[in-house]
Amino acid sequence: MSHSATMQLTRRNHILYIRKRVPRRYQSVETREFLWLSLHTDSEEEAKQKAPAVWRDMLEAWETKLEGSTAEGEERIKAAKNLAARRGYRYMPATEVAKLPLEELLRRIEGIMNSRGHIDIQKAEALLGVADKPELTVTDAMERYWKVAKAKTIGKSEDQIRRWKNPRIKAVENFVKVVGDMPIADILTANLFDFRDWWIDRIARGEVSANSANKDMIYLVAMIREVARATDTTLRFSTDKLMLDEGKKNQRPAFSTEWITDKLLAPGALAGLNSEARCIMLGMVNTGYRPSEGAMLTSSQIRLDGAIPYIQIEAVGRTLKSHNAERKIPLTGISLAAFREFPAGFPRYADNAGLSDTINKFLRENKLLETDAHTLYGLRHSFEDRMLAAGVDERIRRDLMGHSLDRERYGKGASLEHLQSLIEALAL
């Protein structure tokens, strides 16, 4: 029902006002029986144009006061901020209000009085900053983070969002287990170093690596800081020298060409692997794509009908690792044969994080890993190594691998025809 349907405009000293009975819904937060709202104009035409928006604004202000009369904690702060903004003031904590110039402080004090000359509690909370500030615990902060960081999930698939959330959930659960679910405003540097010591003990027992510990601490601190910024929460800790030395990072090794041809491509070697996983793996051999990039391809990105068969890796239904990952790769050799077997893509793994685990487990159990350090990802490194050995230009190598370039990219890059000729020369 529209409250503006029976709106009455009345003049006072030539200025037009809305004169309207206060709806019953708002009588608990508005002491007046009738409301007079100035439209700040003597023009009837202008007043009729402004009146609906002014009335809606008043209704929203009353709704905010209704929220504030029953809401607790954070919702009360939100209601107070909204009401302060509608009165032309920015919400500030009481400690900051006390530091305002005397003239502005007096204006705020005058603004908290209702039409009967009494203090309006909701207005006081809004204008004087005395609404109780809620204590956000670490788990509260994590739940708030999903909303604060929502923009980071735009374009991600459900599985990508799940994988984005999981390490952050783990970091919070670990911290709560070690230190407790304390308010983020109370976390001290010593608390973070207690968490660090717990990780050091686990590293000493050989359970985890320093890299795992650092990731946990990075996820935890980043979430807390981002939520603190969004909620005007002052933090008290320092992260100076918190991170652990990870030593020399181990690069995942590339499969040698001989191992690929003699072991992985040997007749029947991959017969026990399900056909979709097998073809995604074989597709990597002469394209070097990331396993997840191959798994997400659909019939619209698999182009087999033209003179040059190719795949187009693009963000469709999910995000890519970076904008550099969007690219076209000609299909040759064993990779072309794999995609001819699945021209419409791989529905089993289109949004399934289990692909790499499935393939690595199969390769390990069937002694098809060149060393204990090898994984499926080694096929990507092998493709790059073969391009390097063949003298393929660095710009082309980076374009095909979806890597960034240490300088600005000029022009469109190599044509499909050129890329096909280069890859055919090193394809298996």
Side-chain angles (χ1 to χ4, degrees):
M1 176 180 176
S2 172
H3 290 290
S4 61
T6 58
M7 195 174 301
Q8 179 180 349
L9 300 183
T10 305
R11 286 187 186 273
R12 275 184 174 178
N13 298 324
H14 306 294
I15 299 300
L16 285 159
Y17 285 74
I18 295 173
R19 181 181 184 277
K20 190 167 174 59
R21 185 184 294 274
V22 175
R24 183 178 300 174
R25 171 177 171 79
Y26 307 116
Q27 288 176 1
S28 63
V29 294
E30 178 55 71
T31 59
R32 293 167 289 185
E33 183 180 357
F34 282 89
L35 180 73
W36 290 77
L37 276 176
S38 174
L39 296 171
H40 302 286
T41 181
D42 60 2
S43 166
E44 285 198 26
E45 183 178 350
E46 184 179 350
K48 288 178 181 178
Q49 290 176 347
K50 292 173 68 174
V54 171
W55 181 247
R56 281 197 304 271
D57 192 63
M58 193 65 226
L59 292 175
E60 289 175 13
W62 281 327
E63 287 289 344
T64 299
K65 291 185 71 176
L66 279 178
E67 292 172 19
S69 66
T70 56
E72 295 295 329
E74 187 179 333
E75 287 304 313
R76 191 155 188 160
I77 286 283
K78 180 180 177 182
K81 287 182 177 180
N82 288 342
L83 183 56
R86 294 189 181 284
R87 299 292 177 187
Y89 299 99
R90 179 175 65 88
Y91 177 83
M92 302 169 69
T95 53
E96 293 184 32
V97 171
K99 299 175 185 176
L100 290 172
L102 181 60
E103 185 178 349
E104 184 174 344
L105 179 58
L106 289 174
R107 280 201 305 271
R108 285 183 178 241
I109 293 173
E110 289 174 3
I112 71 174
M113 310 302 290
N114 63 26
S115 61
R116 296 178 182 175
H118 300 147
I119 292 176
D120 184 312
I121 297 301
Q122 281 78 36
K123 289 181 184 177
E125 290 182 339
L127 303 187
L128 301 184
V130 293
D132 294 333
K133 187 146 187 172
E135 286 192 333
L136 275 175
T137 66
V138 177
T139 52
D140 291 336
M142 179 179 69
E143 292 304 321
R144 169 58 72 90
Y145 180 75
W146 307 141
K147 299 176 183 176
V148 170
K150 190 172 181 61
K152 297 179 181 179
T153 66
I154 294 174
K156 291 185 184 293
S157 68
E158 285 187 15
D159 184 62
Q160 284 181 312
I161 293 173
R162 181 185 62 79
R163 284 185 281 147
W164 174 75
K165 282 186 173 184
N166 279 350
R168 292 164 174 82
I169 293 171
K170 180 177 76 71
V172 167
E173 288 177 346
N174 284 337
F175 183 83
V176 169
K177 179 168 61 177
V178 176
V179 181
D181 192 17
M182 59 194 304
I184 62 173
D186 294 344
I187 296 175
L188 302 176
T189 304
N191 298 128
L192 293 181
F193 274 80
D194 287 342
F195 190 39
R196 181 182 191 266
D197 289 343
W198 177 76
W199 275 107
I200 290 174
D201 289 342
R202 295 190 65 194
I203 293 167
R205 294 195 297 268
E207 296 175 2
V208 294
S209 66
N211 177 260
S212 295
N214 284 341
K215 282 182 178 178
D216 237 39
M217 291 187 286
I218 288 169
Y219 285 133
L220 176 76
V221 170
M223 279 194 299
I224 290 172
R225 282 181 168 162
E226 198 156 343
V227 170
R229 280 194 295 271
T231 56
D232 293 326
T233 301
T234 301
L235 299 176
R236 303 165 64 190
F237 60 78
S238 167
T239 57
D240 185 39
K241 297 183 180 179
L242 182 66
M243 295 299 109
L244 298 170
D245 182 7
E246 297 182 20
K248 183 180 178 182
K249 292 189 177 181
N250 295 323
Q251 182 179 352
R252 286 175 285 193
F255 286 102
S256 66
T257 301
E258 292 74 24
W259 187 271
I260 296 173
T261 55
D262 296 345
K263 298 290 186 177
L264 300 182
L265 301 184
L270 304 179
L273 186 60
N274 75 76
S275 56
E276 288 191 36
R278 173 176 54 79
C279 286
I280 293 172
M281 175 182 167
L282 294 176
M284 286 182 70
V285 173
N286 297 322
T287 64
Y289 57 53
R290 299 173 180 89
S292 60
E293 291 174 337
M296 67 183 275
L297 293 169
T298 65
S299 57
S300 61
Q301 287 100 45
I302 301 170
R303 313 290 178 81
L304 303 178
D305 297 334
I308 300 176
Y310 70 95
I311 53 174
Q312 180 158 343
I313 295 173
E314 55 189 347
V316 177
R318 59 187 293 154
T319 56
L320 296 176
K321 187 167 186 179
S322 71
H323 69 276
N324 298 304
E326 195 161 295
R327 62 203 189 275
K328 295 178 180 178
I329 310 175
L331 292 171
T332 58
I334 192 69
S335 297
L336 175 58
F339 276 96
R340 282 185 171 148
E341 193 170 336
F342 285 93
F346 310 95
R348 179 171 180 172
Y349 294 103
D351 200 13
N352 185 330
L355 172 67
S356 292
D357 288 343
T358 297
I359 296 177
N360 285 326
K361 181 174 184 289
F362 175 85
L363 295 177
R364 191 178 305 110
E365 291 177 349
N366 289 275
K367 302 189 185 321
L368 292 174
L369 294 175
E370 196 163 355
T371 70
D372 289 341
H374 276 76
T375 66
L376 169 65
Y377 217 81
L379 288 176
R380 177 168 161 81
H381 295 304
S382 173
F383 179 67
E384 187 167 23
D385 280 355
R386 298 201 317 273
M387 286 195 292
L388 181 64
V392 176
D393 175 76
E394 182 191 15
R395 158 73 186 271
I396 294 176
R397 294 202 312 271
R398 288 178 178 263
D399 285 351
L400 285 168
M401 298 297 291
H403 287 156
S404 62
L405 193 61
D406 295 333
R407 59 172 176 80
E408 187 175 348
R409 277 180 161 85
Y410 297 102
K412 295 181 179 179
S415 65
L416 269 177
E417 290 83 359
H418 187 191
L419 293 176
Q420 183 188 44
S421 67
L422 293 173
I423 295 175
E424 279 185 334
L426 53 89
L428 303 177

